[in-house]
Amino acid sequence: MSTTTPSIFAPVSTPAFAIRELAFVVLGITAVIFLVVGGLAVYALIRFRRPRTDDGREPPQVYGSRQIEQAWTVVPILIVVVLFLVTARYIYAIEGRPQPADAHEVTVVGHQWWWEIRYPKLGIVTANELHVPVSDKPTFITLQSVDVIHSFWIPQLAGKMDVIPNKTNRVWIDPKRVGKYVGQCAEYCGLQHAGMLLTVTVHSTEEFARWVAAQQMPARDDVKAREGRELFSSLACVNCHTVRGTTANGVFGPDLTHVMSRSTIGAGVIPNTPETLRAWVDDPSALKPGALMPAMKLSRNDLDKVTAYLLTLR
Ligand code: CUA
């Protein structure tokens, strides 16, 4: 898939198009101000340079000019009011959009430092990699946090929205183009704020249906990984992680039912490969300092077994 830049100037979804439009309006107005002020400053610098014949006397002073004071008070206020009204109009247009009955629904929960992604209507739980169909039907995203304030931001799809404990926020996206779009947490939330990345994969309708069907499957029960599965079930892993169809039903960490369908570990900090997965289970802090998952202190043999089991969870 093509590498896309997290640029607000390359929108692919209605709220992001609106934000770019607004950015151009604001840039246009401020560019005019810049040129007028800068032009006057340059003109004054050149026109009123100290002449060689200067007699050193103070020039006539302008003081207490009501017209000038009124002008430099009223004009900036008018400019700010215009910027405010234009911005307010865009905000209301985006945030005020009612949710259509047939909209796709996703709940994204911010954690230190990863994103839990739930599809309540579809019975899917995943992490850090949001999948949506390309569509005129928007996807409405409910935002919640279990710990501190995070901010959900995919620049090409929509504006930033804070993710606040005990408050539910909402954003919506309607990506017009299939592809992969990158985003990140945009509110400082602790040590691994910078390691709280997310991607949005926009699929064609058929591809999305296939993804949904695969995610809805229960976890694979590969006979070759039975030993690892039993070991996993006997360890503290199950207190934090869910593997659907097993005794593991923790909700503190990411759902691992289809962990191998995800391309990264640790919310985007490293690619998900057999080697990095093994290293992660061994000691997450070595790869993501501050990660809340503890090092499991497994023997090398047990580590291999647990990793082998996790690798079957496609
Ligand atoms: Cu979560 Cu910054």
Side-chain angles (χ1 to χ4, degrees):
M1 232 170 274
S2 63
T3 42
T4 38
T5 46
S7 167
I8 65 156
F9 293 106
V12 294
S13 163
T14 303
F17 278 112
I19 287 167
R20 182 178 64 173
E21 216 172 87
L22 178 61
F24 282 141
V25 171
V26 173
L27 276 175
I29 292 175
T30 49
V32 169
I33 297 171
F34 176 77
L35 289 177
V36 169
V37 173
L40 287 173
V42 169
Y43 172 77
L45 277 172
I46 294 167
R47 173 71 181 74
F48 299 108
R49 263 180 320 174
R50 184 183 212 179
R52 219 167 270 153
T53 56
D54 189 58
D55 56 11
R57 270 187 306 168
E58 202 176 65
Q61 297 296 295
V62 180
Y63 179 76
S65 163
R66 187 161 284 184
Q67 282 101 322
I68 292 178
E69 286 175 8
Q70 277 170 347
W72 75 45
T73 307
V74 172
V75 171
I77 288 176
L78 287 178
I79 294 170
V80 170
V81 167
V82 167
L83 289 174
F84 169 78
L85 290 177
V86 173
T87 308
R89 230 186 94 201
Y90 277 90
I91 292 174
Y92 275 96
I94 295 171
E95 294 195 354
R97 175 171 182 177
Q99 180 173 332
D102 62 351
H104 300 284
E105 279 178 26
V106 187
T107 300
V108 173
V109 185
H111 292 253
Q112 281 176 317
W113 290 278
W114 59 282
W115 304 95
E116 178 183 345
I117 298 168
R118 315 185 76 93
Y119 297 74
K121 282 185 187 165
L122 303 173
I124 295 170
V125 182
T126 180
N128 306 322
E129 294 171 21
L130 178 59
H131 292 254
V132 297
V134 67
S135 176
D136 290 332
K137 256 197 277 175
T139 299
F140 275 71
I141 305 167
T142 301
L143 297 170
Q144 293 166 341
S145 169
V146 295
D147 38 45
V148 299
I149 300 176
H150 304 273
S151 178
F152 182 85
W153 191 33
I154 302 121
Q156 291 183 277
L157 300 183
K160 288 177 188 173
M161 182 58 78
D162 276 1
V163 182
I164 302 172
N166 298 316
K167 181 178 181 351
T168 297
N169 277 340
R170 193 189 74 159
V171 287
W172 60 271
I173 55 176
D174 59 348
K176 312 286 187 201
R177 212 172 60 217
V178 167
K180 198 169 184 176
Y181 304 100
V182 291
Q184 64 196 74
C185 180
E187 176 75 42
Y188 182 70
C189 55
L191 189 58
Q192 280 295 341
H193 160 63
M196 193 168 165
L197 308 167
L198 82 157
T199 58
V200 179
T201 306
V202 178
H203 297 280
S204 65
T205 314
E206 310 81 65
E207 232 183 281
F208 182 69
R210 268 201 295 278
W211 180 83
V212 168
Q215 293 289 316
Q216 283 173 332
M217 300 275 282
R220 266 167 227 260
D221 184 10
D222 193 322
V223 278
K224 282 177 282 176
R226 274 283 164 78
E227 239 186 317
R229 178 180 148 131
E230 269 153 39
L231 187 57
F232 180 86
S233 307
S234 71
L235 292 166
C237 313
V238 298
N239 297 333
C240 291
H241 294 287
T242 292
V243 178
R244 240 180 317 122
T246 74
T247 51
N249 58 6
V251 292
F252 193 70
D255 187 301
L256 301 178
T257 309
H258 297 290
V259 65
M260 292 317 291
S261 72
R262 303 202 281 265
S263 58
T264 71
I265 316 176
V269 295
I270 33 161
N272 186 7
T273 67
E275 296 73 41
T276 56
L277 184 67
R278 186 178 183 279
W280 179 271
V281 176
D282 190 30
D283 183 8
S285 291
L287 300 165
K288 188 173 182 178
L292 297 186
M293 173 172 158
M296 295 305 292
K297 305 216 164 55
L298 301 178
S299 71
R300 298 302 91 178
N301 192 19
D302 285 356
L303 182 59
D304 288 337
K305 284 184 200 157
V306 169
T307 308
Y309 169 57
L310 292 175
L311 289 174
T312 66
L313 301 179
R314 292 189 299 278

